[in-house]
Amino acid sequence: MAAAIAYAERTAGQTGQSPAVGCVIVKHGKVIGRGHTQPGGRPHAEAAALGMAGEAAAGADIYVTLEPCAHDSERGPACAATVTAARPARVIIACEDPDPRTAGKGIAMLKAAGIEVQCGLMETAARASMAGFFARQTLARPFVTVKLATSLDGRIALPNGESKWITSAAARAHCHLQRARHDMILVGAGTVRADNPALTVRLPGLESRSPARVMLGSGGAPEGWQALASPTDIGELPGNMLFVEGGAETAASFIRADLADRLLLYRAPIILGAGKACLGDIGLHDLMTAHDRWRLVDTRMLAKDRTEIYERAIAPDQ
Amino acid sequence: MAAAIAYAERTAGQTGQSPAVGCVIVKHGKVIGRGHTQPGGRPHAEAAALGMAGEAAAGADIYVTLEPCAHDSERGPACAATVTAARPARVIIACEDPDPRTAGKGIAMLKAAGIEVQCGLMETAARASMAGFFARQTLARPFVTVKLATSLDGRIALPNGESKWITSAAARAHCHLQRARHDMILVGAGTVRADNPALTVRLPGLESRSPARVMLGSGGAPEGWQALASPTDIGELPGNMLFVEGGAETAASFIRADLADRLLLYRAPIILGAGKACLGDIGLHDLMTAHDRWRLVDTRMLAKDRTEIYERAIAPDQ
């Protein structure tokens, strides 16, 4: 299942509103098929893996990160039917599909065909790999990552506006890798007007993974940008993974609206003192309510900088 | 030597302008004497350890974190003479004494008496344990630690001034332990007028280790406080270890004057957004000069908070 999740993550940020699923087929201790959701959402992972395995899938074990879908679509048949037709011995599933068109029906179809089904293996890791899809299904919006790159004292620029560079090349490369894992990248209108940033993925081999650009704020968006009037309108955006890169007021507006699911912090070992703060007003009125909202899920050093990933510790209002 | 350094650290912040030294005497694999500099600076560690070992010190190995002093004083004889009289086989020293009254003369006296001397064992760790003494000897001022306790976004209070509490009880206890390792604690005049803080060590058994209180700024200091007009006057202060607790402008004034030797950061996993920044203007004019000034020497989690200790990576002007 770990291999299936790793395989699914190759396609993160590429599958639109579909989940990024991974599938590995094992027979007699050997991998005979593997697949992940293809860019745009089709073909599904199971179809790709079964296509590789061919006839050998009969009697094999299929590991898949999400319950096979139970609904036919104009873009392809239901995976549960495709899997059943391949006559595997077992299907091991990480998590049930929250999509009401499937939600347990895929598992029921497999079981009705006499296939042994296990569900729940590495569920937490698999859900994390499909965070955008789960946000879309349960919250009707993309999963939102807010990135902040600061000095030790929480600054993002000198009083004169100088901000290149606070973090190291290693931290900036890590950030570009995160961009590649998102469908969409958003900055405020002020940043667009000041810099008209490319926001591309500048990593060898990943240039094609640059996310679609979204501008938050009023006024027309330039060529190549989609405009978004308010953070609360993010449900309208096409993808499932939204990367919010700044500036301070834009980042604060997502936190204020309780629409930040993950904080990605980069912190350089420098002190700036006076300068531009990393965040504007988030509408906090007392310290008690600031606590227990974020939990650290990962941290590591990137050259001299530390990166920290926090995720919400309190479920958002639905 | 590690035991001698650990022993020395028990007396950190208690020895005035004298070094906090540790001494361990070993014979036939057993510790027969140990001592550290006593509060106020006398007796010295070697005298304390030799007093415990008695006649058995003859032929023993003496581990001491600093070269035994070579100068008699009205407060006691030179340690090099006392050690020589005890007729040890070997004296193992972590670092030479930078005090010009000793600086190599102590070692020379021991060697002249036919005692084997080794110098340099665990020198870096020993110097760190006597950072205040080395700052006093080489910079004619105390070693300065600047403490900042902030949110993830570098804030120390809400816009309405609320600041209790940002960090956890565990982080605050750690901070009190750091207070106990300093002779003196300094806050700005504004903080004194607003809060008249006790700044005591509120840890069981360490209440007596509360540092002397120093107020930075103009205007008369209240009863129980010493006034300091400017950070550049810290050479006048009696102790070797100065703890700067705030507020933001006071902390910035020490960094601006290149008088911050160590940054002690506590960081709670909360976001405040608008509010009071942890630091005021440090006089920085370009980003290039912000880099490579600080290196991380320690970090750990304290309950949900992270503490980080940075030390200067560039020697101060002398």
Side-chain angles (χ1 to χ4, degrees):
Chain A
M1 189 62 79
I5 294 171
Y7 211 55
E9 290 190 344
R10 289 198 192 175
T11 195
Q14 307 295 301
T15 57
Q17 296 196 359
S18 299
V21 177
C23 181
V24 172
I25 304 177
V26 179
K27 194 172 184 181
H28 306 317
K30 280 192 181 159
V31 171
I32 59 169
R34 56 199 170 97
H36 57 64
T37 313
Q38 295 301 301
R42 295 272 173 171
H44 282 181
E46 300 93 322
L50 287 169
M52 184 188 287
E55 296 289 326
D61 291 341
I62 298 182
Y63 293 85
V64 60
T65 60
L66 185 70
E67 179 186 4
C69 63
H71 53 282
D72 290 320
S73 116
E74 59 193 22
R75 298 173 65 198
C79 287
T82 310
V83 169
T84 298
R87 294 173 290 114
R90 291 196 303 169
V91 178
I92 300 98
I93 297 165
C95 31
E96 251 191 51
D97 189 343
D99 185 330
R101 296 173 298 178
T102 292
K105 298 190 194 88
I107 291 173
M109 283 174 66
L110 297 173
K111 284 184 175 170
I115 299 167
E116 183 185 339
V117 178
Q118 291 179 16
C119 190
L121 182 64
M122 295 187 70
E123 181 173 354
T124 302
R127 284 180 71 107
S129 76
M130 290 180 281
F133 174 69
F134 277 89
R136 177 66 66 183
Q137 289 295 321
T138 61
L139 303 168
R141 62 165 178 81
F143 185 90
V144 177
T145 297
V146 172
K147 169 220 152 186
L148 301 172
T150 74
S151 64
L152 293 178
D153 52 330
R155 302 293 185 179
I156 56 173
L158 288 183
N160 65 13
E162 187 185 357
S163 64
K164 290 183 180 172
W165 293 108
I166 288 175
T167 52
S168 64
R172 300 199 304 275
H174 186 273
C175 179
H176 280 246
L177 188 59
Q178 302 309 310
R179 285 181 179 174
R181 300 169 58 83
H182 288 77
D183 302 277
M184 307 169 295
I185 187 166
L186 180 147
V187 297
T191 302
V192 175
R193 279 190 286 270
D195 302 337
N196 194 18
L199 303 179
T200 46
V201 175
R202 293 188 282 280
L203 293 174
L206 289 175
E207 297 85 350
S208 66
R209 301 284 291 261
S210 296
R213 290 180 296 175
V214 182
M215 181 191 91
L216 178 73
S218 53
E223 176 77 21
W225 291 78
Q226 177 171 355
L228 190 74
S230 158
T232 55
D233 296 333
I234 53 170
E236 300 167 5
L237 294 173
N240 283 350
M241 295 293 285
L242 176 63
F243 197 59
V244 175
E245 275 225 20
E249 293 303 329
T250 297
S253 71
F254 277 86
I255 296 173
R256 190 165 57 234
D258 195 24
L259 289 170
D261 300 305
R262 180 189 282 156
L263 302 177
L264 174 61
L265 309 184
Y266 298 97
R267 209 154 147 266
I270 65 173
I271 292 283
L272 296 189
K276 190 153 176 44
C278 62
L279 277 180
D281 188 8
I282 62 162
L284 190 71
H285 298 297
D286 63 275
L287 268 178
M288 279 300 289
T289 54
H291 285 277
D292 300 322
R293 302 189 74 87
W294 300 101
R295 70 191 163 82
L296 183 67
V297 296
D298 196 13
T299 178
R300 66 188 65 186
M301 297 301 293
L302 295 167
K304 292 179 180 175
D305 304 329
R306 177 172 287 279
T307 181
E308 292 174 330
I309 299 175
Y310 289 87
E311 288 189 355
R312 59 164 74 240
I314 297 173
D317 291 336
Q318 293 187 21
Chain B
M1 189 60 80
I5 293 170
Y7 212 55
E9 290 190 345
R10 290 196 190 177
T11 196
Q14 306 293 302
T15 57
Q17 296 196 358
S18 299
V21 178
C23 180
V24 172
I25 305 178
V26 178
K27 195 173 183 181
H28 305 317
K30 283 192 180 158
V31 171
I32 59 169
R34 57 199 170 98
H36 57 65
T37 313
Q38 295 301 301
R42 294 276 174 166
H44 281 180
E46 300 93 323
L50 287 168
M52 185 189 284
E55 295 290 324
D61 290 343
I62 298 181
Y63 292 85
V64 61
T65 59
L66 186 69
E67 179 186 4
C69 65
H71 53 282
D72 290 320
S73 117
E74 57 192 26
R75 297 172 66 197
C79 286
T82 310
V83 169
T84 299
R87 294 171 293 112
R90 292 195 303 170
V91 177
I92 301 98
I93 297 165
C95 32
E96 252 191 51
D97 190 343
D99 184 331
R101 296 173 298 176
T102 294
K105 298 190 194 87
I107 292 172
M109 283 174 66
L110 296 173
K111 285 184 173 169
I115 298 166
E116 183 185 340
V117 178
Q118 292 179 13
C119 190
L121 182 63
M122 294 188 71
E123 180 173 355
T124 302
R127 283 180 72 107
S129 75
M130 291 179 283
F133 174 70
F134 277 89
R136 177 66 68 182
Q137 288 294 321
T138 60
L139 304 168
R141 62 165 178 83
F143 184 91
V144 177
T145 298
V146 172
K147 169 220 153 186
L148 300 172
T150 74
S151 63
L152 293 178
D153 52 330
R155 301 293 184 178
I156 57 172
L158 288 182
N160 65 13
E162 188 185 357
S163 64
K164 289 183 178 174
W165 294 107
I166 289 174
T167 52
S168 64
R172 300 200 304 274
H174 186 273
C175 179
H176 280 246
L177 187 61
Q178 303 308 309
R179 285 181 179 174
R181 299 169 58 82
H182 288 76
D183 303 278
M184 308 169 296
I185 187 166
L186 179 147
V187 296
T191 302
V192 175
R193 278 191 286 270
D195 302 336
N196 194 19
L199 303 180
T200 46
V201 176
R202 291 188 284 278
L203 293 172
L206 289 175
E207 297 85 349
S208 66
R209 302 281 292 259
S210 296
R213 291 181 295 176
V214 180
M215 181 191 92
L216 179 71
S218 54
E223 175 78 21
W225 291 78
Q226 178 171 354
L228 190 75
S230 158
T232 55
D233 295 335
I234 53 170
E236 301 168 4
L237 293 174
N240 282 351
M241 294 294 285
L242 176 64
F243 197 61
V244 175
E245 275 223 21
E249 292 302 330
T250 297
S253 71
F254 277 85
I255 295 173
R256 190 165 58 234
D258 195 23
L259 289 170
D261 300 304
R262 179 189 286 157
L263 302 177
L264 174 61
L265 310 184
Y266 298 98
R267 209 154 148 267
I270 66 175
I271 293 283
L272 296 189
K276 189 152 178 42
C278 63
L279 277 180
D281 187 8
I282 63 163
L284 190 71
H285 298 297
D286 63 275
L287 267 178
M288 280 298 290
T289 55
H291 284 278
D292 301 321
R293 302 191 74 86
W294 301 102
R295 69 191 163 85
L296 183 67
V297 297
D298 196 14
T299 178
R300 66 188 66 188
M301 296 301 291
L302 294 168
K304 293 179 181 174
D305 305 330
R306 178 173 286 280
T307 181
E308 292 175 329
I309 299 175
Y310 289 87
E311 288 189 354
R312 59 164 73 243
I314 299 172
D317 292 334
Q318 296 188 16

